[in-house]
Amino acid sequence: MIKIENIRKSFGDEEILKGISTVFEKGKTNLIIGQSGSGKTVMLKCLLGLFQPEEGYIYYEDKAIQEMDEEQQRHLREEIGMLFQGGALFDSMTIEENVMFPLRMFTKKKKTEMLARVNEVLARVNLEGVNRKYPAEISGGMQKRVSIARAIVNNPKYLFCDEPNSGLDPKTATVIDNLIQEITHEYSITTVVVTHDMNSVMEIGENIVFLKNGKLVWQGNNEDIFKTDNKDVTDFVYSSDLFKKIRDIQIEEQ
Amino acid sequence: MSYLEDIGSYFLMLKRTFGSFTKRSVLKELILKEIDDLIIGSLGIVAFISFFVGGVIAIQTALNVDNPIIPKSLIGFATRQSIVLEFAPTFISIIMAGKVGSFITSSIGSMRVTEQIDALEVMGINSLNYLVFPKIVALLFFPFVIALSMFLGILGGLVAGVYGGFTTLTDFTTGLQDDFDTFHLVYAFIKTFVFAFILATVPSWQGFYMKGGALEVGKASTNSFVWTSVLIILTNFIITQLLLSS
Ligand SMILES: Nc1ncnc2c1ncn2[C@@H]1O[C@H](COP(=O)(O)OP(=O)(O)O)[C@@H](O)[C@H]1O
Ligand SMILES: [Mg+2]
């Protein structure tokens, strides 16, 4: 569980996050949604400790990162897996070396144990036989899966994903979304996904936080979101022609 | 103002580079890889350039001193002086700013724009120590590159001078030993160490703090070459003033 209390973050004179409080639950896929520029990535980077908010607290379980010493923060980072927008695989390393990296850095496992674990997670993301390839030699969807494998190899308690399906075709995007959700349930991870993709909202929106201009304006799940009359949310949801059409058909049928 | 900020961020980078250290076994591997990329990978081009430029220096000296009262040993002497004092330490460093420097900037820069550096940071790894420290260590071997350049430059001069019929082997080697001052070698290697440090850190700084995408990586590499060579020329001037002109 991650709890956020009234965080504020500015760059220069511009306040990007204007006092946000919420809770991200364990074993659920928690989504941060909103238009481009609404502060989703900044919020994620605050959670990760890459940005320091000027005000407010971020609690991991019952301990605020602001109150952790360096050793505790380092330990927390070992419990975090992160899936970056572009995958962020190390392109000088093979797939196997990429996935093994967190194990080499943070565990004292033997090489054979590490290899076994690497093959286990690669199988979990349905990738086999690419161990010796380099990231540039596999497709974007496969890179995302490797990146998920790297994020979960060290059994994280927290998983963060920034726009996990940007740049993917709709079918692959759904595969990735479902994979994230399955892993979240399987290992009871606290997962936070930043997205502006309505498909993801439909597929995996178990707890959705809607940001607008740096404020949290709505929170709920993927059923509530179609019932709300919050104008900001409906504008966002029905900005896609597809969803507009579906709504019109539903209204006609009634 | 922005120059002051740049200088500040450069020194801050150095401080963080020597901050919390990467796991030993991993660091060792990174250092070996950098030695391979930056040092071993440069030997070929350095050898090629040094040998032929050494030859050209000898030939040009010979053509300019056909006055009979100037001893023929001058060719060997002049070749040695130009190569040991300037050509090997300074000009090879500038060539390395083009080769090694832009390689460092583009490799770190592309890691920046594809969030690989963020990935390291999120894992709690000091990305500057992970990326820059091994390069600094690898470039401690740079003086070997320069020594090789000195040797091959002089050899090139000898071959061109003797086989081109401009001088004899005895005259050339007499010239090589004329007025030999070990302090000149000390001076040359002090310069080399300073240039090696510039070569490792300035391009790293350019890559690490860049913003943007693939296009900007290209621009940063060009900038890195300009800045690294300007700094090498300036420090060369300062070191020469301090060490030789007293
Ligand atoms: N490192 C930064 N420095 C200054 N401004 C930033 C920085 N990161 C983000 N911003 C600004 O914060 C705002 C929100 O950005 P972001 O969180 O990336 O939006 P998104 O919701 O699309 O992820 C934008 O106006 C952006 O310009
Ligand atoms: Mg974003």
Side-chain angles (χ1 to χ4, degrees):
Chain A
M1 185 209 56
I2 301 171
K3 192 170 86 189
I4 301 173
E5 254 177 36
N6 197 30
I7 55 166
R8 291 177 183 275
K9 174 74 195 163
S10 307
F11 290 111
D13 295 337
E14 202 186 350
E15 194 170 43
I16 308 294
L17 300 181
K18 300 169 181 160
I20 294 182
S21 305
T22 187
V23 173
F24 296 122
E25 288 163 50
K26 184 177 156 143
K28 274 194 182 174
T29 45
N30 301 276
L31 267 50
I32 303 174
I33 66 169
Q35 283 176 5
S36 281
S38 54
K40 303 184 297 292
T41 301
V42 172
M43 181 161 162
L44 193 69
K45 289 193 171 168
C46 286
L47 292 178
L48 286 163
L50 292 178
F51 288 156
Q52 251 65 52
E54 287 91 37
E55 254 185 62
Y57 290 94
I58 295 162
Y59 295 91
Y60 279 79
E61 308 313 324
D62 44 19
K63 190 110 186 123
I65 29 177
Q66 286 85 350
E67 284 161 0
M68 292 180 188
D69 58 32
E70 225 168 83
E71 182 56 32
Q72 286 170 317
Q73 286 204 13
R74 216 181 47 74
H75 182 70
L76 173 65
R77 285 179 186 254
E78 290 174 20
E79 298 187 325
I80 288 177
M82 169 83 194
L83 174 58
F84 284 89
Q85 195 163 345
L89 296 175
F90 301 118
D91 40 32
S92 60
M93 299 181 195
T94 62
I95 301 308
E96 185 175 286
E97 288 164 344
N98 262 286
V99 179
M100 201 184 288
F101 189 79
L103 297 178
R104 287 197 61 198
M105 279 299 189
F106 303 119
T107 69
K108 294 196 170 73
K109 288 198 169 87
K110 285 201 209 72
K111 182 97 193 237
T112 47
E113 288 176 83
M114 290 197 280
L115 255 180
R117 175 66 185 150
V118 166
N119 287 325
E120 189 186 340
V121 283
L122 280 175
R124 182 63 195 82
V125 297
N126 303 317
L127 267 184
E128 271 145 314
V130 294
N131 290 39
R132 294 287 143 80
K133 293 211 156 121
Y134 284 88
E137 298 169 340
I138 60 176
S139 72
M142 287 161 107
Q143 288 178 12
K144 279 277 162 67
R145 280 189 270 168
V146 175
S147 194
I148 294 176
R150 184 179 68 183
I152 63 170
V153 72
N154 204 13
N155 295 315
K157 284 166 73 177
Y158 310 96
L159 179 63
F160 296 94
C161 312
D162 193 2
E163 313 264 358
N165 42 29
S166 72
L168 299 179
D169 62 89
K171 199 169 164 210
T172 313
T174 307
V175 170
I176 297 292
D177 279 343
N178 290 334
L179 190 58
I180 291 171
Q181 191 175 36
E182 284 163 26
I183 287 168
T184 301
H185 292 169
E186 222 167 289
Y187 305 108
S188 215
I189 302 175
T190 306
T191 298
V192 179
V193 180
V194 162
T195 185
H196 56 234
D197 181 12
M198 272 312 292
N199 273 316
S200 302
V201 170
M202 302 270 294
E203 290 277 347
I204 61 170
E206 295 178 87
N207 172 33
I208 304 166
V209 165
F210 183 89
L211 293 193
K212 193 187 175 194
N213 300 326
K215 285 197 175 123
L216 192 164
V217 296
W218 183 86
Q219 183 160 8
N221 66 26
N222 54 2
E223 287 178 13
D224 307 334
I225 200 168
F226 294 100
K227 294 178 196 147
T228 176
D229 45 18
N230 183 313
K231 179 140 188 338
D232 293 325
V233 177
T234 50
D235 280 354
F236 179 80
V237 171
Y238 298 111
S239 59
S240 135
D241 278 341
L242 178 63
F243 283 97
K244 228 183 273 170
K245 280 229 170 69
I246 293 171
R247 179 185 55 174
D248 293 344
I249 291 168
Q250 279 176 340
I251 291 171
E252 266 171 39
E253 280 174 355
Q254 275 168 8
Chain B
M1 186 57 211
S2 115
Y3 279 106
L4 283 181
E5 270 174 30
D6 285 351
I7 293 169
S9 87
Y10 172 76
F11 283 103
L12 216 65
M13 175 193 91
L14 291 184
K15 188 170 157 244
R16 285 185 47 208
T17 300
F18 293 92
S20 77
F21 267 71
T22 309
K23 197 172 171 180
R24 237 223 184 91
S25 58
V26 176
L27 205 54
K28 207 172 98 194
E29 242 172 65
L30 290 170
I31 290 170
L32 289 177
K33 184 165 183 310
E34 297 292 358
I35 290 176
D36 196 33
D37 280 348
L38 305 180
I39 300 292
I40 312 282
S42 304
L43 293 179
I45 182 78
V46 168
F48 175 80
I49 293 176
S50 303
F51 186 81
F52 285 99
V53 171
V56 169
I57 291 173
I59 294 169
Q60 289 193 346
T61 315
L63 294 177
N64 284 304
V65 292
D66 49 5
N67 189 324
I69 44 171
I70 299 177
K72 282 278 181 242
S73 66
L74 183 76
I75 299 171
F77 175 77
T79 305
R80 182 198 80 204
Q81 289 299 78
S82 338
I83 288 175
V84 169
L85 292 177
E86 279 314 310
F87 172 73
T90 311
F91 287 89
I92 290 295
S93 295
I94 287 174
I95 289 162
M96 286 298 105
K99 186 181 184 297
V100 168
S102 41
F103 172 73
I104 291 177
T105 304
S106 60
S107 62
I108 295 185
S110 64
M111 288 187 73
R112 166 63 75 199
V113 304
T114 57
E115 297 183 298
Q116 293 174 52
I117 292 180
D118 290 320
L120 290 169
E121 290 288 328
V122 165
M123 292 181 208
I125 294 163
N126 176 358
S127 57
L128 280 168
N129 180 262
Y130 182 92
L131 293 170
V132 182
F133 182 76
K135 294 181 172 60
I136 295 177
V137 176
L139 280 164
L140 289 178
F141 290 91
F142 191 56
F144 290 106
V145 177
I146 299 306
L148 176 83
S149 164
M150 287 175 181
F151 174 76
L152 287 176
I154 290 169
L155 185 70
L158 185 147
V159 170
V162 175
Y163 291 91
F166 299 101
T167 178
T168 62
L169 186 58
T170 332
D171 279 341
F172 194 90
T173 43
T174 312
L176 281 184
Q177 288 155 29
D178 262 0
D179 267 336
F180 183 78
D181 186 348
T182 35
F183 186 69
H184 285 173
L185 271 184
V186 174
Y187 155 81
F189 280 104
I190 288 177
K191 291 209 292 197
T192 302
F193 268 110
V194 177
F195 297 161
F197 192 74
I198 294 175
L199 272 177
T201 55
V202 173
S204 295
W205 174 74
Q206 288 274 353
F208 195 84
Y209 291 105
M210 65 155 296
K211 293 192 175 76
L215 186 66
E216 281 77 13
V217 175
K219 281 188 196 149
S221 308
T222 316
N223 261 339
S224 151
F225 172 66
V226 172
W227 276 108
T228 310
S229 38
V230 165
L231 274 173
I232 287 174
I233 298 285
L234 284 179
T235 41
N236 184 36
F237 181 77
I238 294 168
I239 293 174
T240 308
Q241 281 283 323
L242 288 178
L243 295 185
L244 290 192
S245 69
S246 46

